[in-house]
């Protein structure tokens, strides 16, 4: 949403005096009727140039003074159509950026005040507030830290009105912004945390998890904030029903820094262990799962799917007997098909079930981590594939040799 560039200006072009008077007249609509004339007249007097004065077009100090006086009177969105309100603020921002440098402290101060006025507008004007703030965001240079200020307000509005989807925000866009904006590491972390909180509040756990990863990466690994965030990240990963890739967590310094934590040992079980390891952890860490809002039933489900995926990876291109699967998952043979259907739905394994042979033919399967053992399995498959290919080539070459030595009488009869 904040990438739109179709800003709307409804006020006519003209001199500084003419445009300021149009803005003043718009603000006057919100004044008591008996005070409007005097309100407008006070600005008309300020815009007049006496014979001994420098023309207003050449006097930046006077133009600034008049504009600051106008800013002090902008206390609400104003009365008018959505298009008029949007055009009013577009013109206000245009004058603000013309009279001061975008990097000046005055601009930041005035913008903060205007953003507060816009945000406090009535809820029925929410779409208008979004467009005003979006226009402002796009009017600010890409490298300016003011973009962070404006987008934080946009994000808060979207979150409080439960309209995050209107932002159409992509992680790649956020990463691009964070490389462009001239802001401190602390400000980058705070922005990522605000995104994490917004998507968490919106019950978009998968998206929140991605920003959680970025947030943890942005923090100094040994800081208390990083370690607390790492603990929450691990618990979030374990809670997500469709997240099975835990390897990226072990590449985070902040996660490694809490290797003495109970959840770190549980994370290790999910990276390398099986059902017996999980049950042993549960027995030796009573109450820990509940403390971090983890369901033991869901943990066991995840572990069984990961165990089946690992078993499938070792048996790609082969038939896995139901009995072997049941033994690895510690379930009854009658439950095997249910677990196979679950893992196929989760996208961890592809294969075909055969009730006749009571087996699963594995086409391909995911793996939790790719280390020495997995490389060795892959090497064996490549060697087997190479050997098979050589056999095919020998058959083809033999066929070619035989075709080249066909007896003449046979060839002529053909």
């Amino acid at each position: 949403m904040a990438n739109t560039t179709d800003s709307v200006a409804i006020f006519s072009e003209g001199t500084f005096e003419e445009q300021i008077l149009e803005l003043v007249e718009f603000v006057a609509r919100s004044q008591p009727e008996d005070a409007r004339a005097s309100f407008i007249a006070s600005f008309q007097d300020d815009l007049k140039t006496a014979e001994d004065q420098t023309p207003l077009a050449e006097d930046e100090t006077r133009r600034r003074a008049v504009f600051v006086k106008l800013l002090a009177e902008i206390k609400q969105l104003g009365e008018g159509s959505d298009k008029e309100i949007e055009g009013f603020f577009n013109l206000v921002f245009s004058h603000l950026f013309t009279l001061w440098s975008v990097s000046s402290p005055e601009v930041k101060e005035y913008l903060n005040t205007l953003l507060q006025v816009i945000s406090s507008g009535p809820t029925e004007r929410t779409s208008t507030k979004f467009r005003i703030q979006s226009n402002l965001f796009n009017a600010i240079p890409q490298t300016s830290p003011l973009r962070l200020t404006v987008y934080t307000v946009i994000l808060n509005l979207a979150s409080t009105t439960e309209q995050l989807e209107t932002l159409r925000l992509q992680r790649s866009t956020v990463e691009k912004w964070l490389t462009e904006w001239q802001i401190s590491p602390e400000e980058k972390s705070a922005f990522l945390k605000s995104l994490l909180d917004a998507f968490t509040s919106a019950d978009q756990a998968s998206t929140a998890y991605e920003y959680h990863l970025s947030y943890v990466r942005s923090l100094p690994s040994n800081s208390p904030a990083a370690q607390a965030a790492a603990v929450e990240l691990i618990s979030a990963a374990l809670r997500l029903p469709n997240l099975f890739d835990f390897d990226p967590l072990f590449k985070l310094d902040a996660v490694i820094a809490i290797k003495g934590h109970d959840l770190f040992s549980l994370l290790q079980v999910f990276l390398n262990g099986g059902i017996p390891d999980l049950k042993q952890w549960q027995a030796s860490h009573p109450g820990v799962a509940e403390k971090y809002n983890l369901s033991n039933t869901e943990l066991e489900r995840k572990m069984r799917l990961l165990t089946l995926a690992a078993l499938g990876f070792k048996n790609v291109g082969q038939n896995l007997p139901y009995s072997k699967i049941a033994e690895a998952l510690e379930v009854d043979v009658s439950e095997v098909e249910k677990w196979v259907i679950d893992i196929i739905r989760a996208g961890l394994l592809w294969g075909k079930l055969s009730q006749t042979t009571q087996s699963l033919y594995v086409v391909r399967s995911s793996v939790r981590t790719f280390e020495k053992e997995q490389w060795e399995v892959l090497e064996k498959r490549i060697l087997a594939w190479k050997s098979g290919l050589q056999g095919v080539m020998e058959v083809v070459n033999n066929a070619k040799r035989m075709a080249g030595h066909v007896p003449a009488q046979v060839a002529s009869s053909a």
Side-chain angles (χ1 to χ4, degrees):
M1 178 174 182
N3 292 318
T4 182
T5 56
D6 55 338
S7 301
V8 177
I10 66 166
F11 291 90
S12 61
E13 294 183 2
T15 64
F16 175 82
E17 294 93 324
E18 290 169 339
Q19 291 186 353
I20 291 297
L21 279 177
E22 286 189 86
L23 294 175
V24 168
E25 287 170 1
F26 182 84
V27 174
R29 297 181 188 179
S30 304
Q31 300 282 332
E33 189 172 352
D34 57 354
R36 291 175 188 172
S38 60
F39 177 80
I40 295 172
S42 69
F43 281 92
Q44 289 173 328
D45 291 340
D46 294 333
L47 293 169
K48 290 178 182 176
T49 300
E51 291 184 5
D52 57 344
Q53 275 187 309
T54 304
L56 194 59
E58 302 172 14
D59 193 338
E60 186 176 75
T61 301
R62 279 182 62 205
R63 293 201 306 275
R64 285 182 174 182
V66 172
F67 187 69
V68 169
K69 179 179 176 180
L70 171 63
L71 289 179
E73 298 297 335
I74 302 174
K75 300 173 183 177
Q76 55 184 307
L77 282 181
E79 297 180 10
S81 68
D82 290 342
K83 191 173 182 180
E84 286 179 305
I85 295 171
E86 184 182 346
F88 170 81
F89 281 98
N90 287 347
L91 187 56
V92 168
F93 295 138
S94 175
H95 280 295
L96 179 62
F97 296 141
T98 299
L99 292 169
W100 286 274
S101 165
V102 175
S103 59
S104 67
E106 292 91 348
V107 166
K108 184 174 184 179
E109 177 186 349
Y110 296 141
L111 268 190
N112 283 333
T113 301
L114 288 169
L115 286 169
Q116 186 174 358
V117 169
I118 296 166
S119 298
S120 61
T123 55
E124 58 267 24
R125 298 282 195 182
T126 295
S127 61
T128 304
K129 292 191 284 186
F130 271 129
R131 284 195 61 84
I132 293 170
Q133 293 166 355
S134 180
N135 293 339
L136 172 59
F137 180 86
N138 288 304
I140 298 171
Q142 289 184 339
T143 60
S144 173
L146 288 179
R147 279 201 156 197
L148 169 62
T149 302
V150 176
Y151 203 83
T152 299
V153 175
I154 293 174
L155 179 64
N156 183 63
L157 176 62
S159 181
T160 55
T161 58
E162 299 182 352
Q163 297 187 53
L164 277 179
E165 68 282 354
T166 64
L167 300 183
R168 301 192 294 275
L169 191 60
Q170 302 292 326
R171 282 186 63 235
S172 58
T173 303
V174 172
E175 291 168 2
K176 179 175 178 288
W177 286 343
L178 293 179
T179 62
E180 292 174 342
W181 298 345
Q182 296 174 350
I183 57 178
S184 68
E186 293 76 17
E187 288 173 316
K188 291 180 181 180
S189 296
F191 181 58
L192 290 168
K193 181 64 164 59
S194 65
L195 288 166
L196 161 61
D197 292 342
F199 284 100
T200 299
S201 298
D203 292 327
Q204 297 185 32
S206 296
T207 304
Y209 176 76
E210 295 301 321
Y211 286 113
H212 204 154
L213 279 169
S214 299
Y215 172 58
V216 172
R217 288 192 194 101
S218 74
L219 297 168
S221 59
N222 291 319
S223 67
Q227 293 181 15
V231 171
E232 287 300 318
L233 179 64
I234 294 173
S235 62
L238 293 170
R239 276 195 299 269
L240 280 171
N242 297 316
L243 191 143
F244 299 95
D245 185 10
F246 299 101
D247 198 38
L249 275 67
F250 287 91
K251 295 178 173 61
L252 298 176
D253 291 339
V255 171
I256 302 302
I258 59 167
K259 59 185 178 182
H261 196 279
D262 291 337
L263 285 189
F264 185 87
S265 60
L266 177 59
L267 188 62
Q268 288 180 307
V269 170
F270 273 85
L271 188 70
N272 301 304
I275 292 295
D277 303 295
L278 175 59
K279 290 184 176 180
Q280 183 179 354
W281 183 91
Q282 290 170 328
S284 59
H285 296 80
V288 173
E290 291 79 2
K291 178 181 177 181
Y292 292 98
N293 196 27
L294 299 172
S295 164
N296 283 313
T297 301
E298 284 299 311
L299 291 177
E300 290 173 13
R301 170 188 167 272
K302 268 195 172 189
M303 182 56 73
R304 286 193 169 92
L305 293 180
L306 289 170
T307 299
L308 181 51
L311 184 62
F313 182 79
K314 293 178 181 178
N315 293 274
V316 170
Q318 301 178 44
N319 285 307
L320 260 175
Y322 281 11
S323 57
K324 191 173 182 178
I325 296 174
E327 180 183 357
L329 302 190
E330 297 189 3
V331 298
D332 190 86
V333 173
S334 62
E335 298 181 57
V336 166
E337 290 185 1
K338 176 184 77 70
W339 285 104
V340 172
I341 292 171
D342 281 351
I343 197 171
I344 291 174
R345 284 175 176 168
L348 295 177
L349 181 145
W350 295 260
K352 293 182 179 180
L353 286 166
S354 172
Q355 293 182 337
T356 304
T357 62
Q358 290 285 283
S359 66
L360 165 68
Y361 179 79
V362 182
V363 177
R364 54 193 170 115
S365 184
S366 301
V367 64
R368 281 183 267 187
T369 183
F370 220 91
E371 297 179 345
K372 183 180 179 181
E373 180 184 355
Q374 288 73 36
W375 280 113
E376 289 174 349
V377 172
L378 182 59
E379 182 184 23
K380 290 178 181 178
R381 285 187 199 151
I382 292 175
L383 290 174
W385 175 81
K386 183 178 179 181
S387 176
L389 187 59
Q390 286 174 340
V392 172
M393 291 301 295
E394 288 178 8
V395 172
V396 172
N397 289 333
N398 288 335
K400 286 181 178 179
R401 283 194 295 269
M402 291 178 66
H405 293 85
V406 176
Q409 63 271 25
V410 176
S412 61
S413 64

